[in-house]
Amino acid sequence: MAYIDGFVLAVPTANKDAFLTHARMGDAICIEHGALRVVECWGDDVPHGKQTDFHRAVEAKEDETVLFSWIEWPDKATRDAGMQKMMEDPRMNPENNPMPFDGKRMIYGGFVPVVELKG
């Protein structure tokens, strides 16, 4: 059964090109280590809520854009092995490939799909 890692983060809007360069490199490593698909979504219609919202979740600043991303794996075992390999991969070391955003404000988690509809 598929397994999904989901992420929400805030990126300085001025760093969009740097983020895309960073993401393309990191996403290719995910695929290399077993991911089926990686999707990076730049916020376009992300409303501010009355009680909670994506902006608050990542403490986004006025000059930042909220992103929503996910990695699709064939199963949790492949994900666990792939993530381990990624953590050991020198290309993923922040000293070699610094993140163009504040990683401490990123939220993420692993999810088991329970409903999937296709058209």
Side-chain angles (χ1 to χ4, degrees):
M1 172 180 271
Y3 195 82
I4 308 294
D5 281 311
F7 308 85
V8 179
L9 56 143
V11 174
T13 304
N15 287 357
K16 183 176 183 179
D17 289 337
F19 172 80
L20 292 172
T21 298
H22 177 83
R24 285 184 184 110
M25 189 279 306
D27 296 349
I29 294 170
C30 290
I31 298 294
E32 186 179 315
H33 292 306
L36 300 174
R37 183 168 90 140
V38 182
V39 178
E40 306 282 358
C41 302
W42 191 261
D44 177 61
D45 183 12
V46 184
H48 289 271
K50 292 184 180 180
Q51 187 169 1
T52 189
D53 57 39
F54 281 111
H55 298 273
R56 287 184 186 116
V58 294
E59 298 177 352
K61 300 172 184 159
E62 288 296 317
D63 64 341
E64 294 179 322
T65 299
V66 175
L67 278 72
F68 176 71
S69 305
W70 69 90
I71 305 170
E72 182 179 345
W73 301 91
D75 51 52
K76 188 170 188 304
T78 302
R79 178 266 201 166
D80 291 347
M83 284 295 206
Q84 181 67 37
K85 290 175 187 172
M86 287 174 55
M87 294 300 142
E88 296 167 355
D89 193 313
R91 296 171 293 176
M92 294 298 291
N93 184 325
E95 291 178 13
N96 300 331
N97 184 25
M99 293 184 289
F101 57 90
D102 181 0
K104 290 181 228 130
R105 292 186 286 136
M106 176 173 61
I107 59 174
Y108 58 91
F111 302 86
V112 175
V114 293
V115 175
E116 180 178 348
L117 299 177
K118 293 184 180 184

